[in-house]
Amino acid sequence: MILLLHGIASSAATFAHVVPQLSDHYRCISLDLLGFGESPSPEESNFTIEEHVAAIAVTVHSLKLDAPFILVGHSLGSLLAARFTATYPREVSRLVLVSPPIYVPASQIGDPLIRARIGAYMRAYEFLRTNKEFTMATVDTLRRLFQLDDILDVSEHNWRAFGLSLQNCIEQQTTVSDIAAVRVPIDVVYGSLDQFIAPGTMRIIEQMRHVTMHKVEANDHLVRKRLARRLVQVITADREVAAKNK
């Protein structure tokens, strides 16, 4: 079984190019994260990583999903997937992180160029979540320009979840530590043109023994057809090896 977690400002539709290529051999469940898509958006929630992971766990247990399963996360979903796996190690057999926006605090970065780049990301994220009208108008333009109606959404419906998830899960993350705590194999799939990838942090995680990196040329942050094909290849690799060894 495969459980898929989408990124910020999106929904389960993120994996529209992925699930049809896997459904003949796997049971695939793509969730709407707390506050996004058709999932509830509790007024009392601060959309912390702990609350997101708890909501995922409740869904896993309520659906009585067979464990251990392959867990795939895109963007924000990759950060949640890493924390979920570190928190519930018996639930996950493999972890696949797609386009992960992984950052470490600028104070922990020695290279001044990388430190400046991380600082620029943080300032940009803060600007987006504190300038609602600009952010919603920009996303609406991008959605129409690139025909992303099904996979890109920042609206009144999910604005609170968007802003707080950005602040509490992406800006204030501990994903490098979560990845280090995971004991199952981890694959990282990302595009060579990804606007949100921090090379300095990627070099940190690619040195971990249980992490395998997969760069997809000419792909940005989104799960487009090229990246979707590579992601499917990564997910099905073990199955293909097992079939050959029979």
Side-chain angles (χ1 to χ4, degrees):
M1 197 203 83
I2 302 174
L3 181 64
L4 303 107
L5 309 177
H6 66 81
I8 199 167
S10 192
S11 69
T14 289
F15 299 100
H17 296 309
V18 176
V19 172
Q21 299 183 64
L22 294 170
S23 55
D24 285 348
H25 301 290
Y26 297 91
R27 180 188 181 191
C28 299
I29 296 180
S30 185
L31 299 183
D32 281 337
L33 297 177
L34 188 71
F36 296 95
E38 297 184 11
S39 284
S41 184
E43 292 184 3
E44 68 277 9
S45 177
N46 289 314
F47 297 95
T48 63
I49 194 166
E50 291 82 8
E51 290 172 318
H52 274 295
V53 168
I56 295 166
V58 167
T59 302
V60 167
H61 297 149
S62 66
L63 295 177
K64 299 180 180 179
L65 303 184
D66 294 333
F69 47 77
I70 299 171
L71 182 57
V72 179
H74 173 253
S75 192
L76 167 65
S78 68
L79 310 188
L80 305 183
R83 175 63 67 85
F84 181 93
T85 306
T87 306
Y88 301 98
R90 295 183 180 180
E91 301 282 351
V92 181
S93 59
R94 285 181 62 198
L95 177 61
V96 183
L97 310 179
V98 185
S99 307
I102 302 174
Y103 312 113
V104 295
S107 60
Q108 298 179 16
I109 302 172
D111 188 317
L113 293 177
I114 296 175
R115 185 167 61 246
R117 185 169 180 177
I118 296 293
Y121 281 127
M122 296 302 109
R123 289 191 296 273
Y125 293 148
E126 182 180 9
F127 179 85
L128 290 174
R129 63 177 168 79
T130 56
N131 290 271
K132 179 179 179 179
E133 292 184 2
F134 170 85
T135 300
M136 290 178 61
T138 300
V139 169
D140 184 60
T141 299
L142 291 173
R143 186 173 61 241
R144 289 185 283 105
L145 184 62
F146 296 104
Q147 299 180 335
L148 300 174
D149 289 345
D150 294 334
I151 61 172
L152 187 60
D153 177 33
V154 178
S155 60
E156 292 290 349
H157 169 71
N158 66 13
W159 174 256
R160 189 166 177 274
F162 170 82
L164 289 174
S165 296
L166 186 56
Q167 180 178 18
N168 296 330
C169 299
I170 296 180
E171 295 176 56
Q172 300 177 14
Q173 63 176 269
T174 58
T175 307
V176 171
S177 298
D178 292 334
I179 291 173
V182 169
R183 291 294 174 263
V184 298
I186 300 175
D187 289 280
V188 178
V189 183
Y190 67 101
S192 63
L193 303 179
D194 194 322
Q195 311 92 316
F196 303 101
I197 291 292
T201 306
M202 295 299 269
R203 284 196 288 272
I204 293 173
I205 63 173
E206 70 182 0
Q207 294 174 7
M208 298 182 187
R209 292 183 178 180
H210 61 320
V211 176
T212 303
M213 310 295 286
H214 309 270
K215 182 188 287 187
V216 181
E217 297 299 332
N219 200 101
D220 57 12
H221 190 68
L222 300 179
V223 185
R224 301 184 189 276
K225 291 182 179 180
R226 184 191 298 266
L227 192 144
R229 287 194 298 269
R230 186 69 182 113
L231 175 56
V232 169
Q233 291 172 356
V234 169
I235 292 172
T236 59
D238 288 347
R239 183 184 184 92
E240 292 171 358
V241 169
K244 290 180 181 178
N245 291 335
K246 283 186 177 180

